[in-house]
Amino acid sequence: MNTQTNTPSSSTLTPSFKWVFSKPSRALAFGMGSGLAPFAPGTAGTLWAWAAFLVGEFFLSTEAWLWIIGIGILLGCWICGQVSEELGKKDFGGIVWDEVVAFWLVLIFIMPASLWVQILAFALFRFFDAVKPGPIGMIDRHFKHLEGGDNSAPSNFGLILWRGFGIIADDLAAAFFTLLTITLLHIGLSYIS
């Protein structure tokens, strides 16, 4: 049985489909439900982002996508921070909005691309996001270290935004390293052929 309250002390909250879709901020934070996947919610969220981008390409220009991604990152700081607050102030694995906007950022730079390049981008992004090598891990540890305080009192607006930024920051770094790796592979392959 799941205890579902919205108090900051509810660190044992297990979100349900009903809880996630009871507020727009939760639905976005959980990638329209993809973050509820029983295993690898980050991968499920990235797959949802990929599918949404491919559908959105038929209706949206590159400029519109850049606006969506930019606003998504800024608004995502609040969304991820607020939903994290409701879940007990942790970087809860089901919060996948960070993966969504970061992978959209990867896709906007590589598209149009062949299916194989898209698969490579997906695999690289998931690697960098899950393993968090080098600077990505440093960013993640920095924000988790800052979060190690008292969770009994509600957070102020600034702390909620900062927590949300911390949730998104390592995914933006993973997106950067994904794009850097693809660029270096492209340059290397151009010398071979």
Side-chain angles (χ1 to χ4, degrees):
M1 184 168 126
N2 294 340
T3 304
Q4 297 184 357
T5 62
N6 291 339
T7 62
S9 61
S10 62
S11 60
T12 59
L13 173 67
T14 303
S16 66
F17 188 83
K18 182 179 177 184
W19 184 85
V20 165
F21 284 93
S22 65
K23 287 185 177 179
S25 60
R26 293 175 184 169
L28 286 174
F30 277 76
M32 302 310 289
S34 61
L36 290 171
F39 58 91
T43 300
T46 307
L47 285 170
W48 183 87
W50 190 3
F53 187 90
L54 293 176
V55 170
E57 265 194 317
F58 289 105
F59 307 102
L60 300 169
S61 66
T62 300
E63 183 180 339
W65 267 114
L66 288 171
W67 277 103
I68 289 167
I69 293 165
I71 292 168
I73 290 169
L74 295 175
L75 187 61
C77 291
W78 178 79
I79 289 170
C80 293
Q82 179 59 41
V83 175
S84 179
E85 175 85 0
E86 293 173 14
L87 290 167
K89 304 181 186 177
K90 301 201 185 308
D91 185 357
F92 187 79
I95 295 175
V96 296
W97 184 249
D98 48 336
E99 278 90 357
V100 170
V101 294
F103 195 59
W104 283 348
L105 191 60
V106 169
L107 291 172
I108 200 69
F109 279 101
I110 68 166
M111 296 300 273
S114 71
L115 179 60
W116 293 111
V117 173
Q118 293 176 55
I119 291 170
L120 175 64
F122 175 83
L124 286 169
F125 178 74
R126 289 310 307 142
F127 168 77
F128 286 123
D129 186 36
V131 177
K132 301 186 189 316
I136 302 167
M138 290 170 52
I139 292 168
D140 186 58
R141 287 187 298 276
H142 172 73
F143 282 99
K144 284 185 177 164
H145 173 73
L146 292 177
E147 188 62 29
D150 176 28
N151 290 344
S152 60
S155 300
N156 62 37
F157 183 72
L159 185 57
I160 287 171
L161 284 179
W162 186 246
R163 181 181 306 120
F165 175 72
I167 291 170
I168 290 177
D170 65 305
D171 294 270
L172 293 177
F176 171 78
F177 281 100
T178 299
L179 291 168
L180 179 63
T181 303
I182 289 171
T183 301
L184 293 174
L185 284 170
H186 180 70
I187 291 169
L189 290 173
S190 70
Y191 282 113
I192 294 170
S193 50

